[in-house]
Amino acid sequence: MPYLVAAVVLLALITAVNLLLTLGVIRRLREQSSPPHGGHAASDPPAHGLRPGVRPESFTATTTDGERISDSDVHGMVGFFSAHCTPCHTLAPRFAEQAEVMGRDRVIAVIAGTDPELSAVLAPVARVIVEDYDGAVQAAFHNSWTPWVYLLGRDRRVVASGGRMTDLFSEAPA
C-alpha cells in the first residue's frame, strides 16, 4: 500500500510540473507571436489586411474595361470579393449602393476568381478588377479575407475597414 501512495503522489507531482511548463510555453509563444503585415501585439484583433493609417503598397492592375489602375489612383472605397462566396454576394448590393453615392471613379471592386453575377452587380458602379487570390491588388492591401472593404482618404491611407458596410462607415471619423 505505501508503494501505491508513493506512485500516486509522484504521478501528481509530475503532472503539476508538466502543467506549469506547458503554461510557460504558451505564455512565451503569445509574447513572441504577432500577426503578419502589421507587427501588432498578439492581443490585437486579427488583421485581414491593412489597418487604419496605412497606405497600400505599390501595384498596377487592369480593370475589366481595360483601364490601367495603380496605387496612386486609389482613394475612396475598395472592396474585395470572391467567386462562390455567399457573404460576398450578400455584401455586393450594399457595396454597390454606397459606390453609387461615392461615384464610380472613387470605387474599386476586386473579384478573386470568375463570377459573372458579382461582376454584373459591381461593374456599373465600380471599376472592377478580376484577379487571382494572390493578385497584385490583394497583395498591395495584404488582404486575406473576403468580403473585405476599405475606405481610403485623399492621402490614400486606410481610414476604416471591415467585413460589413456598417463596420466600414461606423469606424470612419466624421
Side-chain angles (χ1 to χ4, degrees), residues 16-42:
V17 169
N18 186 24
L19 179 63
L20 289 174
L21 290 173
T22 302
L23 291 174
V25 168
I26 290 171
R27 192 177 91 208
R28 179 66 59 100
L29 288 173
R30 283 187 180 167
E31 289 171 358
Q32 292 178 352
S33 68
S34 64
H37 314 304
H40 298 280

Side-chain angles (χ1 to χ4, degrees), residues 81-119:
F81 302 88
S82 295
H84 313 296
C85 163
T86 301
C88 295
H89 287 268
T90 303
L91 179 67
R94 291 184 188 98
F95 181 87
E97 288 173 7
Q98 184 62 41
E100 193 169 10
V101 171
M102 294 179 80
R104 189 173 192 273
D105 62 324
R106 295 190 57 216
V107 181
I108 296 173
V110 181
I111 303 173
T114 304
D115 192 324
E117 187 178 325
L118 275 175
S119 293

Side-chain angles (χ1 to χ4, degrees), residues 12-173:
L13 287 173
I14 290 172
T15 303
V17 169
N18 186 24
L19 179 63
L20 289 174
L21 290 173
T22 302
L23 291 174
V25 168
I26 290 171
R27 192 177 91 208
R28 179 66 59 100
L29 288 173
R30 283 187 180 167
E31 289 171 358
Q32 292 178 352
S33 68
S34 64
H37 314 304
H40 298 280
S43 61
D44 287 350
H48 297 297
L50 298 179
R51 293 186 181 264
V54 177
R55 283 189 183 143
E57 294 176 3
S58 296
F59 72 87
T60 57
T62 304
T63 68
T64 55
D65 294 335
E67 178 186 358
R68 298 277 300 164
I69 294 179
S70 72
D71 55 295
S72 62
D73 299 319
V74 179
H75 71 282
M77 190 167 60
V78 179
F80 290 89
F81 302 88
S82 295
H84 313 296
C85 163
T86 301
C88 295
H89 287 268
T90 303
L91 179 67
R94 291 184 188 98
F95 181 87
E97 288 173 7
Q98 184 62 41
E100 193 169 10
V101 171
M102 294 179 80
R104 189 173 192 273
D105 62 324
R106 295 190 57 216
V107 181
I108 296 173
V110 181
I111 303 173
T114 304
D115 192 324
E117 187 178 325
L118 275 175
S119 293
V121 171
L122 300 172
V125 294
R127 297 176 288 172
V128 176
I129 298 169
V130 176
E131 66 179 17
D132 292 331
Y133 291 97
D134 59 351
V137 184
Q138 300 263 5
F141 279 82
H142 299 282
N143 197 68
S144 63
W145 196 260
T146 59
W148 203 256
V149 184
Y150 297 90
L151 183 63
L152 285 83
R154 291 212 176 270
D155 63 353
R156 300 187 316 269
R157 291 186 189 276
V158 174
V159 175
S161 67
R164 300 173 300 194
M165 296 306 290
T166 54
D167 295 339
L168 185 73
F169 289 98
S170 66
E171 290 181 16

